[in-house]
């Protein structure tokens, strides 16, 4: 898994779109295996997102970011965790430890009548940020989303439908990462199905990690079964191992509107 951070003199550059350097961290087995500084020459949002994708990046941790840059990352299927500040090395260490904290502001100090993009602090955090360890626990603010839909079928996620089913869905989503050969996964399967039947306002999804390794990598999955809750492109919480239906429903209940 590779994470990108806009870089300026060892710190998180607070202007994503204006960053001329990015620090890329290759994560293997929960540790930093390689660090690389790349030059971007201040290219536009779309070109920057394409460049990061081409370098194998699956998620971005940054400070301030505007809606245009955020959409460009979304279009490339890249995870996002914003409103972060400090030394990039410390940020990655906190990310791996599951203790990464969001800043609430990170706003651009310029006036909005200038002719360039402004990077306000977005608290968006998609599945790639913090992985199943909840390293970027959801942040509040704004009007809570109230689900009006009812779900009956479990959605099997793939790289083709992930953007539509997860990244573009503001509702509460429960994802089970599993594999055919995994005994505890088989024990968890009926629990997941029963919870799905009892929680019609939650979208239940499954990811076969053997068939969709890129999605497992995006969430930093190292053990299965792993169940995570996602909402509005943020990883909220989760657990590893087979658990009871009561445990699963209790975890969900804490986030139902």
């Amino acid at each position: 898994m590779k994470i990108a951070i806009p870089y300026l003199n060892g710190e998180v550059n607070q202007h994503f779109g204006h960053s001329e350097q990015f620090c890329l961290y290759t994560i293997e087995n929960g540790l930093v295996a390689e660090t690389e500084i790349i030059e971007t020459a201040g290219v536009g949002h779309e070109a920057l997102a394409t460049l990061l994708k081409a370098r194998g990046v699956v998620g971005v941790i940054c400070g301030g970011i505007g809606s245009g840059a955020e959409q460009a990352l979304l279009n490339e299927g890249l995870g996002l965790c914003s409103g972060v500040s400090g030394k990039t090395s410390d940020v990655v260490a906190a990310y791996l430890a599951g203790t990464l904290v969001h800043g609430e502001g990170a706003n651009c100090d310029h006036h909005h009548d200038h002719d360039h993009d402004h990077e306000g602090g977005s608290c968006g955090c998609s599945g790639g940020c913090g992985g199943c360890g909840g390293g970027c626990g959801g942040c509040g603010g704004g009007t809570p989303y109230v689900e009006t839909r009812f779900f009956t079928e479990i959605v099997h996620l793939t790289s083709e439908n992930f953007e539509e089913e997860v990244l573009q869905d503001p509702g509460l989503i429960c994802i089970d990462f599993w594999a055919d050969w995994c005994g505890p996964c088989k024990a968890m399967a009926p629990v997941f199905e029963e919870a799905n039947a009892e929680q019609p306002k939650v979208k239940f999804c499954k990811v076969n990690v053997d068939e969709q390794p890129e999605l497992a990598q995006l969430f930093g999955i190292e053990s299965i079964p792993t169940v995570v809750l996602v909402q509005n492109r943020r990883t909220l919480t989760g657990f590893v191992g087979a658990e009871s239906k009561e445990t699963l429903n209790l975890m969900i209940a804490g986030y139902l509107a």
Side-chain angles (χ1 to χ4, degrees):
M1 179 174 68
K2 191 174 290 186
I3 300 297
I5 303 180
Y7 183 86
L8 181 64
N9 299 324
E11 303 271 338
V12 178
N13 190 334
Q14 291 301 304
H15 296 275
F16 175 88
H18 299 165
S19 183
E20 296 186 357
Q21 292 182 321
F22 274 73
C23 191
L24 307 187
Y25 291 87
T26 300
I27 311 299
E28 295 180 359
N29 299 319
L31 299 173
V32 176
E34 184 179 354
T35 303
E36 178 187 8
I37 304 295
I38 64 170
E39 304 288 337
T40 65
V43 297
H45 296 151
E46 291 78 9
L48 181 54
T50 300
L51 171 64
L52 295 177
K53 179 76 170 183
R55 297 300 294 262
V57 170
V58 299
V60 173
I61 302 174
C62 66
I65 185 167
S67 59
E70 188 173 350
Q71 185 61 49
L73 294 176
L74 173 62
N75 291 342
E76 291 291 344
L78 300 181
L80 172 64
C81 183
S82 60
V84 177
S85 61
K87 293 183 178 180
T88 58
S89 57
D90 293 342
V91 166
V92 170
Y95 169 82
L96 295 176
T99 59
L100 186 61
V101 177
H102 292 265
E104 294 185 4
N107 289 321
C108 174
D109 291 330
H110 303 299
H111 298 292
H112 287 278
D113 58 357
H114 286 191
D115 60 0
H116 56 269
D117 290 338
H118 299 273
E119 311 269 347
S122 166
C123 268
C125 179
S126 71
C129 183
C132 65
C136 283
C139 49
T143 302
Y145 175 82
V146 178
E147 185 61 77
T148 59
R149 300 168 297 174
F150 291 92
F151 303 98
T152 57
E153 302 294 330
I154 294 176
V155 178
H156 291 270
L157 295 176
T158 67
S159 57
E160 287 75 24
N161 68 6
F162 181 75
E163 180 175 343
E164 178 181 358
E165 296 289 353
V166 177
L167 296 183
Q168 294 183 2
D169 190 336
L172 193 61
I173 304 169
C174 186
I175 307 176
D176 175 25
F177 291 86
W178 67 287
D180 288 320
W181 48 265
C182 170
C185 296
K186 295 178 180 178
M188 189 66 203
V191 171
F192 199 74
E193 291 173 0
E194 291 177 17
N196 172 63
E198 297 175 6
Q199 303 278 3
K201 290 191 176 183
V202 179
K203 181 189 289 187
F204 282 75
C205 303
K206 293 180 74 74
V207 174
N208 185 318
V209 298
D210 289 336
E211 297 176 356
Q212 305 297 325
E214 67 282 0
L215 295 185
Q217 184 182 50
L218 183 65
F219 281 81
I221 301 301
E222 296 181 351
S223 300
I224 54 174
T226 291
V227 176
V228 301
L229 280 183
V230 176
Q231 186 169 39
N232 199 21
R233 296 160 54 203
R234 303 174 190 141
T235 299
L236 302 175
T237 187
F239 59 77
V240 178
E243 294 285 353
S244 67
K245 182 181 65 175
E246 290 71 25
T247 297
L248 178 55
N249 282 339
L250 183 62
M251 180 180 73
I252 293 172
Y255 294 93
L256 284 174

